[in-house]
Amino acid sequence: MKNHSGLKVLLNIVFVLLIFGILGFVIKNSLGDILVQLAQTPLLVLLGVILCGSLYILVEGENLKTMAGTFTKGFTTIDGSFAMCYAAFYRLVTFGAGTLIAEVNFYHRKGLRISQGVGVTALHMIMYKVVLLSWAVISLVMQFVFFHSEKPKIIWLVLFAMVVTFLIIAGLLSLTLSLNLQVWSVKLANKLFKSAKIRGMVDKVNIQVYSLREAVDSILQVRPLIYRIYFLNMLKVAFWFVIPYLVLRGDHPQLGFFLSFGLTSFAVILAGSIPTPAGIGSFEFVYLLLFSPIVGTVDAASSMLLYRFASYVWPFLIGLIYFLVDKRRAIHSELKEIKEEPTKE
């Protein structure tokens, strides 16, 4: 038992050291430009960017509390904020691969069943896509005359991104809510696999999928709740979308608020339609493509780096602190168990 506790302490320490190794690599190769830009940004603008990023995290916390709170009353807004930042931390250190797993794991540690955690994560993803589509439609309607006269090709690109986003939303809803799809999948699996062991595994997966569908459906059935979730998602995204205007308005008065907001919403929805790890490279390309003709490449790149800081690095830093405190608590608890074991004998 003592050896087992000692091994857990060692594994936790090795894991923390591995994370720091990955962070060193990421900072050197990905975050260096952002850190340089932070040093060159006026303090007032930087504080505004941090405020917008923080408000996003707080509203996201309330959003996740609203969803996860349907399954456990002890889930708070602060828990929701840390859930977002914890997932953002793993998003960076796993290059996007561990984001969803980290989020589900956080919910599970707060008392939700795995199927409920997956349900909240799936609905979280769906609602994010829904509000991206909503803001893109609103922005296109408001700025249609400008884009039709100045950048008509962008209209077709945005319409393409809207269609792709709509199909993603429809696909996610079908996977999580469609009973017919679930029954069809089970029938197909039964036809393809005759082994009793494999069919038993299929049955277990089917039970989990059924629980997932019940979890998502239980939230969607409460209309005031889904309206609140939609409003919170619209609000949180708005805090990110105002950042480019906040950064650029001083040097580029010709860049109106609604134009900047619309270009940012287009950049995000277009980036989500181009599959790359964590959507980083695609966002940078589209953002510069949209903003450079209006404010110049240098200022467009500067504003993009600050947007990346607020939406990507700031949540990660909070998630890093949460991770370190959590690991410190785990190591301290395991060391305490080791010290107490001789007295138990």
Side-chain angles (χ1 to χ4, degrees), residues 6 58 63 71 76 90 98 103 105 124-125 148 157 162 176 180 198 231-232 234 240 244 247 265 271 304 333 344:
L58 285 174
N63 173 48
F71 304 113
T76 65
Y90 274 98
E103 186 174 345
N105 180 53
H124 184 202
M125 188 189 309
H148 186 265
L157 285 174
M162 288 179 181
T176 53
N180 291 332
I198 295 178
F231 169 76
L232 288 170
M234 290 288 283
W240 275 358
V247 175
S265 71
M304 180 199 67
S333 176
K344 290 179 181 178

Side-chain angles (χ1 to χ4, degrees), residues 3-53:
N3 290 336
H4 180 68
S5 298
L7 180 61
K8 287 173 67 178
V9 172
L10 180 61
L11 289 175
N12 272 313
I13 293 173
V14 169
F15 183 59
V16 171
L17 293 176
L18 177 64
I19 290 296
F20 274 108
I22 295 173
L23 288 181
F25 173 81
V26 171
I27 291 171
K28 181 179 177 181
N29 292 275
S30 302
L31 302 184
D33 292 339
I34 294 178
L35 297 177
V36 171
Q37 183 58 49
L38 292 178
Q40 298 173 350
T41 302
L43 180 61
L44 194 60
V45 174
L46 180 58
L47 290 175
V49 170
I50 293 174
L51 176 63
C52 288

Side-chain angles (χ1 to χ4, degrees), residues 137-157:
V137 170
I138 294 170
S139 299
L140 185 60
V141 171
M142 293 186 67
Q143 297 293 323
F144 184 81
V145 175
F146 171 82
F147 288 113
H148 186 265
S149 60
E150 300 291 333
K151 301 173 181 295
K153 292 182 180 179
I154 287 180
I155 294 176
W156 293 107
L157 285 174

Side-chain angles (χ1 to χ4, degrees), residues 256-287:
F257 174 81
F258 293 108
L259 176 58
S260 174
F261 192 98
L263 288 173
T264 310
S265 71
F266 294 163
V268 175
I269 197 170
L270 280 166
S273 306
I274 305 173
T276 60
I280 299 172
S282 58
F283 175 80
E284 292 172 345
F285 171 76
V286 176
Y287 186 97

Side-chain angles (χ1 to χ4, degrees), residues 63-64 67-68 71 83 87 98-108 112-128 172 176 212 215-216 219:
N63 173 48
L64 295 177
M67 290 190 283
F71 304 113
T99 311
L100 299 181
I101 296 173
E103 186 174 345
V104 173
N105 180 53
F106 188 97
Y107 298 140
H108 184 56
L112 276 71
R113 298 198 306 270
I114 294 294
S115 59
Q116 292 172 337
V118 174
V120 172
T121 302
L123 185 59
H124 184 202
M125 188 189 309
I126 291 167
M127 292 305 300
Y128 179 69
L172 289 171
T176 53
L212 165 62
V216 176
I219 300 175

Side-chain angles (χ1 to χ4, degrees), residues 269-329:
I269 197 170
L270 280 166
S273 306
I274 305 173
T276 60
I280 299 172
S282 58
F283 175 80
E284 292 172 345
F285 171 76
V286 176
Y287 186 97
L288 293 176
L289 179 69
L290 294 176
F291 276 91
S292 293
I294 300 174
V295 301
T297 303
V298 174
D299 285 349
S302 298
S303 64
M304 180 199 67
L305 291 173
L306 290 171
Y307 180 93
R308 269 299 181 196
F309 170 75
S311 63
Y312 188 65
V313 180
W314 184 238
F316 155 77
L317 291 174
I318 298 174
L320 172 62
I321 294 171
Y322 181 90
F323 168 81
L324 292 176
V325 170
D326 184 60
K327 283 299 173 185
R328 180 181 177 277
R329 189 185 299 118

